[in-house]
Amino acid sequence: MTDNSVLIRLQNIHRTYKVGSDTVHALRGIHLQVRQNEYVAIMGHSGSGKSTLMNVIGCLDRADQGTYEIRGIKTTVMSGAALARIRNEQIGFVFQSYELLPRLNALKNVELPLIYSNVGFLTRRKLAREALERVGLAARMHHRPNQLSGGEKQRVAVARALVAKPSILLADEPTGNLDTQTSAGIMDLFEKLYEQGQTIILVTHEADIACHARRIVRMQDGQILSDVPARQDPAWALIHGPSAEAKETGV
Ligand SMILES: Nc1ncnc2c1ncn2[C@@H]1O[C@H](COP(=O)(O)OP(=O)(O)O)[C@@H](O)[C@H]1O
Ligand SMILES: [Mg+2]
């Protein structure tokens, strides 16, 4: 029987990079399943394979072994064009460095994914405005990236990620370039999106950021080390104190 709430399923995913005569085994047999409206944080040291995994999940890259399904559709056997279509329809990406086009204002940056999927001008404008309103940036629509603060730039990037109403929001170290207070604002925004039903997968190496998620997956050397509800991960005790879980659940 198929379970319709399963959004993505990775089975035995491997990814190796060849650099000269060296081979880097970045992912070594990843098994992961994420359901609709989950909020997952992926943690791990630098080099543990987090970004490689996000790129595979986001269909920016392919595994060289294993199977990856989105909503039951096998991506591993798809052509490049079909994979690009899945990516446009299903995935919204947010990066640490925002990746906005400097010459375009916020509105046009947010419209870009819709241009790639051939949405007409008026609909594009309307959806881009709505996405900017959702992230609280309606007043900055006509500003170019260099006229925005770091937090505002990341909000534009979140609006761009959401504009095509993707199944999954993928964020790779979204607060990595932001100060603590601005990071908190972005995490509040993610919480709101999650409450509205958005599935979120977030990469971070910071415990306080990870604790916003409901589930924490830890990676090490290209493998999953642990995968537990956030309250059972050591990050939770670190941020909320050792007895926080007991107190909150009344145990
Ligand atoms: N494009 C690439 N070419 C070669 N090696 C890479 C490439 N991208 C990542 N790697 C290597 O793969 C491993 C995992 O990298 P990455 O997924 O970026 O880790 P993380 O995001 O956890 O820091 C590292 O050893 C890294 O050096
Ligand atoms: Mg990374």
Side-chain angles (χ1 to χ4, degrees):
M1 227 178 72
T2 55
D3 181 344
N4 291 331
S5 73
V6 175
L7 266 186
I8 62 168
R9 181 184 282 126
L10 293 88
Q11 286 169 296
N12 197 29
I13 291 291
H14 288 256
R15 176 69 168 98
T16 48
Y17 295 110
K18 290 203 167 52
V19 184
S21 57
D22 286 346
T23 302
V24 179
H25 206 154
L27 299 177
R28 308 169 180 253
I30 298 285
H31 294 270
L32 183 69
Q33 190 166 300
V34 176
R35 287 166 189 279
Q36 215 146 322
N37 199 208
E38 279 203 87
Y39 187 176
V40 184
I42 298 178
M43 297 191 76
H45 294 297
S46 175
S48 58
K50 305 181 298 294
S51 293
T52 304
L53 179 61
M54 291 295 263
N55 291 343
V56 169
I57 293 174
C59 302
L60 288 170
D61 188 19
R62 280 175 191 278
D64 34 36
Q65 223 193 95
T67 56
Y68 173 32
E69 291 166 41
I70 301 182
R71 296 183 179 280
I73 304 164
K74 273 202 178 64
T75 64
T76 346
V77 294
M78 279 183 179
S79 69
L83 199 63
R85 191 164 346 106
I86 287 274
R87 181 168 66 234
N88 286 338
E89 288 171 3
Q90 306 283 342
I91 311 288
F93 246 113
V94 175
F95 301 95
Q96 177 173 355
S97 48
Y98 326 122
E99 307 291 339
L100 301 175
L101 294 187
R103 288 167 183 276
L104 301 185
N105 67 24
L107 193 60
K108 287 185 175 155
N109 264 288
V110 175
E111 272 182 48
L112 268 187
L114 301 175
I115 293 179
Y116 298 136
S117 41
N118 294 318
V119 176
F121 175 77
L122 286 177
T123 312
R124 232 158 58 205
R125 274 280 131 104
K126 177 172 167 283
L127 292 173
R129 281 173 197 275
E130 282 171 7
L132 282 164
E133 278 161 18
R134 254 184 113 185
V135 302
L137 265 195
R140 295 285 184 278
M141 254 184 259
H142 302 292
H143 289 230
R144 284 198 301 276
N146 67 0
Q147 299 167 323
L148 296 168
S149 70
E152 288 171 338
K153 279 189 266 225
Q154 196 58 301
R155 280 173 193 273
V156 174
V158 173
R160 180 188 54 191
L162 294 174
V163 75
K165 305 193 164 50
S167 301
I168 313 168
L169 179 66
L170 294 181
D172 194 348
E173 310 257 10
T175 59
N177 284 345
L178 303 176
D179 60 60
T180 311
Q181 201 185 340
T182 312
S183 295
I186 293 290
M187 296 321 293
D188 286 347
L189 172 61
F190 277 32
E191 185 67 30
K192 189 183 91 184
L193 298 172
Y194 169 68
E195 281 166 8
Q196 291 168 353
Q198 182 67 52
T199 307
I200 301 174
I201 307 179
L202 161 94
V203 162
T204 183
H205 54 258
E206 292 170 79
D208 59 333
I209 298 295
C211 284
H212 289 270
R214 303 304 191 270
R215 170 180 170 194
I216 298 181
V217 173
R218 286 187 180 258
M219 292 186 70
Q220 186 181 303
D221 298 331
Q223 293 183 312
I224 291 179
L225 197 65
S226 68
D227 180 352
V228 295
R231 284 165 191 230
Q232 290 169 27
D233 187 274
W236 189 273
L238 196 68
I239 300 305
H240 298 282
S243 57
E245 186 191 354
K247 258 186 257 161
E248 290 209 18
T249 54
V251 178

